[in-house]
Structure formats: structure tokens, C-alpha cells
Amino acid sequence: MEEFDITIIGSGPGGYVAAIKSAQLGYKTALVEKYSTLGGTCTNVGCIPTKALLDSTHHYADAVKSFQNHGIEFSDIRLNFEQVFKRKSDVVTKNTQGLDFLMRKNKIKVLQGSGSFLNSESLKISHADQTETVIKSKKFIIATGSKPATIPGVTIDKKRIITSTEALAMKEKPESIVIIGGGVIGVEMASIFNRIGTKVTILEYADNLIANMDQELGSTLAKILTKEGVEIKRQEAVYKAENHGDKAKVYFKNKQGLEQELTADYILVAVGRKPYVIGLGLENTNVELNANGTIKVDDLLQTTASNIFAIGDVIGGAMLAHKAEEEAVFVVERIHGQKSHIDYDHIPSVVYTWPEVASIGATEEELKKRGLEYNVGKFPFAVNARARAGMETDGFVKVLSDPKYGELLGVHIIGARAADLIAQSVTGLEFEITAKDMASICYAHPTYSEVLKEAYTIASGEASVNI
């Protein structure tokens, strides 16, 4: 029976980062993965393939709608649906091959199969060929992630009632699709399919899209998606979905209780994700679960079994790949005796629609609820020279700051390159830099980042020179 210092179960962003960090610090490391490729949901059926499709469909939509404004003309523009999805698969393959290389480079033992605890020190790995391997480990890190969730009355059959996983593997373009849920996954999927000519309808239970972010971001995104042809129905309670063979039907009620129904080629369920702990054998350890099915951990991400830790989606919180990566490094460095820390308020959220949406820190709604005073600095992309040059004038930056000391409380962006711009604001919040100081540094001209500079300036109580 082989013994390891640290064994990680699950090879998603949290798992593979934990494995690499463990090996780099000199620990004999094993990585257990039930599927045939490394990378977990993010690399195989989540973040990476979704972004590949978002980029491809963005190029196509630009060619159809805006290239002529740039003086670029085509006699014929057509979508090669098969190539779009082939490129997505090629991107995934290159990423998984890169992970294989990193495992070999760092001398990490990869064990392909489903891991199940025999006790707190031993793990059984059941392989695809029906054989089994048992290993021992001084420490374990559970990084098994999450799976798509659903709602009562809606059974995912993976044929007509699908999740994002099946949507990422379609063989032909659907004519229509209804998306249940207007969160991050829902609006990104809506963007992909709307751009290629699919009739897209979003059914959202809340009164706003991306409801966990600043409300003004969600309302602005809704206006932009509506302008692009996405039908958005808010405050709709879905209670049933049916597979009718070549079509699917969804039933829902509006806030007045009026029953409605829609028929489409597919019903895509995007109502969030749930932690994946099935088959882990946690009952053979002292690991406890919370009422919502997540693994119970303390501030050090240690479970109720002293040698077992857990990270990522399986412990709840924001289900973000970069959160899992931060937790991976945190846990391994803590095991190693280092004094690492994580500030969950300083982990950015990003939506990869176009324009992109990005957020860090407190929203206006949260500050109002807490009874805190704040300054608002808001600046539109429409006034920015670089945005005008690139025909990317939708959106704004909103900076929230403390009126007494000027400390940044939150930054919210909807606009071109928001996903990249937010990194600067993360620095500002992490190191408690004031809005005035953030405004006082030099920004290259012309760039989208100047929208941030102007928003910081206004939040600090000074007048913008560009309005």
C-alpha cells in the first residue's frame, strides 16, 4: 500500500493547484480523478469551453453586425456550427494536455478512478477496469467540486431538458432554447446561442438578472441583452418541464400567479450548482456536512476530521474557479506552517457576456442594508475615447467609497474588458488604497482603464475632467 504526504481528491482548479503547490513544497503528492481527463468541470465542461464559444460567437456576431461600420465587407457570411464546437474541443484538449504535463513535471502521482474513504487515513480508488487501489495519506484535500442543480418539477434528462454540460456538446444549432435561470451561467449561455441566431428566452425567478451582483449591473445587462434579441421574463416561477420528443415544454407562473408555458427545442436548466460528495465514503470518517450538503470546515478549511481539508465548490460560498485556486494555495501553505490568508470579500466575480460584467467588494444594496454611508463615483464608457474608437460604448464603472477616509468599498463594472479591468480594483481593496490615490496614478491614454480613473475621481469628491 503506497503512502503519500498529501492526497487531493478532484482535479479541478482547486485540486490541480493544490497538487502542484504540495509537490513544489516537497510533499509526496497524489491526485485522484474519476474522469479520463484532468481539469474538472471548469476545464472540461465549464469555464474554458464556455469562453471558447463566447469568443467564437462574439467574432461571428461582430462580422454580421458591425464589421461594415469598420469598412470591412463580405459578400457572404455563414456560421460553421461544427467548426465552432470543434475549436472549443481543441481548446479544452490543449488545456488538459497542459495539466498532464504539469503533473509529470512536478512528479505528482495521478490515480484515475473514483476515490472513497475507508477511514480517515485510507482511500480506495475504483478504476474503470474494475480494479481497485488502496492508498494511505497523512493529509487529504477534498476538491470534488459541484454538479448542476435543478428545481422541483424539472428533471434533467440530458436530451431535451439539459444543463450547460449538454449545451456545450450540441451537434447542430437549435432553433429555440428556453433558459431557466438568469445568473452567470444563464446569461452566458444566452449570449452564445442568441449570437448564432437561436431564439433565446430567459426565465428568471428574481426581479433582476445576475441577482447576486449590484442591481444596476443586472438591469443594464438586461437592457443590452434585450436590445440584442434575447427575451427576458423576470419574476417567473418555473414548476414543471416536459420532454415531448423533438421539443420540450416548460410551465411557469408570473408574480400574479398567472400560469404560462413555452415550447422550445431545448430547456436549459441554469439555476445554480450543488456540492458533489456522492460516493466519497465520508460516513467512514469524522467529516461532517452542513444542512445544505456542503462539507463543514473551519477558518483554516479543516474539516471535522483533523487530517482532512476541503476547498472549492464542495464547501460552498461563491462557486468560482479562482476562489478554489486561492483556497488550494491557502490550505497547502497552512499545512506547511505558513501564515497565508484569504479575504473572501476581495474575490472578484465576473460574467463573460459582452459587454463583460465584473464586481469586487460591497454592492450598493449591501451598504444600504448595513446602514453605511458611502460615496458613488460613476462614469460611462460612452464618454471614453478608446471605447468610442472601438465602438464599445455600452456600460459604466461604479466606485463606492467611504466618505470619511476614502477607502474603497466596492467597484462594479459593466463594459468592454471588465474582466481584466477589475484586477486593478482588487488591488485597491486588498491594500486599502483610497479612491483619491487610485485616481491620482497615471493611466495610459486612450485606454478603457481611464473609465476607472474618472470613477475613482468622482468617488473621491473631485470633478472629472472628462464630463
Side-chain angles (χ1 to χ4, degrees):
M1 187 186 300
E2 193 167 5
E3 185 167 346
F4 297 89
D5 296 318
I6 300 177
T7 296
I8 299 96
I9 308 169
S11 71
Y16 70 71
V17 169
I20 292 168
K21 190 66 178 179
S22 298
Q24 288 174 342
L25 291 176
Y27 294 102
K28 185 179 179 182
T29 305
L31 180 63
V32 179
E33 173 53 56
K34 68 180 291 187
Y35 294 109
S36 59
T37 57
L38 301 180
T41 295
C42 178
T43 304
N44 291 280
V45 291
C47 321
I48 303 305
T50 301
K51 281 22 163 210
L53 290 180
L54 282 163
D55 281 345
S56 292
T57 57
H58 188 179
H59 290 313
Y60 174 68
D62 276 352
V64 170
K65 297 178 180 178
S66 64
F67 273 15
Q68 285 190 343
N69 291 323
H70 289 282
I72 305 168
E73 297 182 359
F74 295 91
S75 58
D76 180 44
I77 301 173
R78 66 183 185 88
L79 178 77
N80 185 334
F81 187 87
E82 183 178 338
Q83 174 58 26
V84 169
F85 275 70
K86 179 183 180 300
R87 192 191 81 85
K88 175 267 302 180
S89 298
D90 291 344
V91 170
V92 171
T93 298
K94 288 176 182 177
N95 277 273
T96 57
Q97 288 173 344
L99 291 175
D100 291 337
F101 168 76
L102 288 172
M103 296 306 114
R104 294 192 298 270
K105 177 185 176 184
N106 289 282
K107 298 180 174 56
I108 296 164
K109 181 70 172 285
V110 176
L111 298 163
Q112 220 88 43
S114 298
S116 179
F117 285 99
L118 297 175
N119 53 56
S120 294
E121 292 79 35
S122 302
L123 190 77
K124 178 180 71 176
I125 298 102
S126 301
H127 306 289
D129 62 1
Q130 308 303 314
T131 61
E132 294 179 349
T133 300
V134 177
I135 63 168
K136 297 196 72 165
S137 189
K138 296 174 184 175
K139 307 281 186 185
F140 287 95
I141 301 173
I142 301 172
T144 48
S146 61
K147 293 291 182 183
T150 189
I151 54 178
V154 178
T155 300
I156 297 166
D157 61 20
K158 300 185 179 182
K159 296 180 176 65
R160 290 290 167 185
I161 305 170
I162 63 174
T163 70
S164 57
T165 300
E166 293 74 45
L168 291 168
M170 285 188 175
K171 303 300 182 186
E172 58 184 24
K173 188 193 89 172
E175 293 303 314
S176 58
I177 189 166
V178 174
I179 300 173
I180 305 173
V184 177
I185 296 172
V187 296
E188 289 184 357
M189 287 289 137
S191 295
I192 289 169
F193 288 102
N194 179 64
R195 291 169 185 168
I196 63 175
T198 299
K199 169 59 180 172
V200 178
T201 304
I202 295 175
L203 300 178
E204 169 55 43
Y205 181 75
D207 60 0
N208 206 5
L209 298 183
I210 50 175
N212 291 331
M213 301 179 81
D214 190 278
Q215 285 188 9
E216 202 169 358
L217 297 177
S219 60
T220 303
L221 179 62
K223 291 175 184 176
I224 293 169
L225 290 176
T226 299
K227 182 174 66 176
E228 292 175 351
V230 177
E231 184 178 3
I232 300 171
K233 293 178 175 290
R234 283 162 281 200
Q235 294 184 293
E236 305 285 359
V238 174
Y239 63 90
K240 186 169 67 171
E242 297 172 339
N243 182 338
H244 287 188
D246 60 347
K247 298 281 184 181
K249 184 177 286 190
V250 61
Y251 301 82
F252 54 100
K253 296 179 182 179
N254 63 17
K255 62 180 179 180
Q256 288 81 30
L258 179 65
E259 295 196 5
Q260 301 168 81
E261 59 186 58
L262 282 173
T263 299
D265 290 344
Y266 295 95
I267 308 298
L268 196 164
V269 182
V271 295
R273 301 179 64 85
K274 57 185 179 181
Y276 189 72
V277 296
I278 296 172
L280 275 177
L282 297 181
E283 66 276 8
N284 299 322
T285 71
N286 292 324
V287 175
E288 296 178 7
L289 299 180
N290 294 306
N292 62 359
T294 56
I295 293 177
K296 184 182 293 186
V297 293
D298 61 15
D299 291 342
L300 300 180
L301 305 185
Q302 188 175 38
T303 72
T304 43
S306 62
N307 69 318
I308 301 176
F309 299 79
I311 60 174
D313 290 3
V314 79
I315 65 170
M319 292 190 172
L320 301 167
H322 46 282
K323 166 186 170 283
E325 291 174 345
E326 292 297 306
E327 290 173 337
V329 173
F330 171 81
V331 164
V332 175
E333 288 184 344
R334 282 285 181 167
I335 290 173
H336 196 60
Q338 296 174 306
K339 301 298 182 183
S340 304
H341 81 284
I342 297 177
D343 189 332
Y344 286 103
D345 291 332
H346 296 167
I347 293 177
S349 297
V350 178
V351 186
Y352 293 88
T353 50
W354 197 262
E356 293 172 334
V357 185
S359 183
I360 180 73
T363 66
E364 274 205 77
E365 293 72 36
E366 289 168 346
L367 294 176
K368 288 175 181 176
K369 187 175 181 179
R370 289 154 58 185
L372 298 178
E373 294 185 359
Y374 59 93
N375 288 340
V376 179
K378 187 177 175 184
F379 197 83
F381 277 78
V383 182
N384 176 264
R386 180 68 183 87
R388 286 175 178 155
M391 296 175 61
E392 302 290 1
T393 54
D394 284 332
F396 59 85
V397 170
K398 180 162 68 172
V399 171
L400 308 175
S401 65
D402 175 68
K404 184 176 181 180
Y405 299 107
E407 180 184 351
L408 293 178
L409 302 175
V411 178
H412 310 283
I413 310 172
I414 178 166
R417 307 298 172 200
D420 299 302
L421 293 174
I422 199 66
Q424 190 227 44
S425 299
V426 175
T427 302
L429 267 78
E430 180 68 20
F431 295 102
E432 299 182 352
I433 304 173
T434 67
K436 185 173 183 178
D437 287 339
M438 294 293 278
S440 68
I441 60 177
C442 185
Y443 293 68
H445 175 77
T447 60
Y448 295 118
S449 65
E450 290 175 286
V451 183
L452 273 170
K453 178 182 178 71
E454 300 305 330
Y456 289 135
T457 299
I458 296 168
S460 67
E462 298 185 12
S464 165
V465 298
N466 281 294
I467 291 185

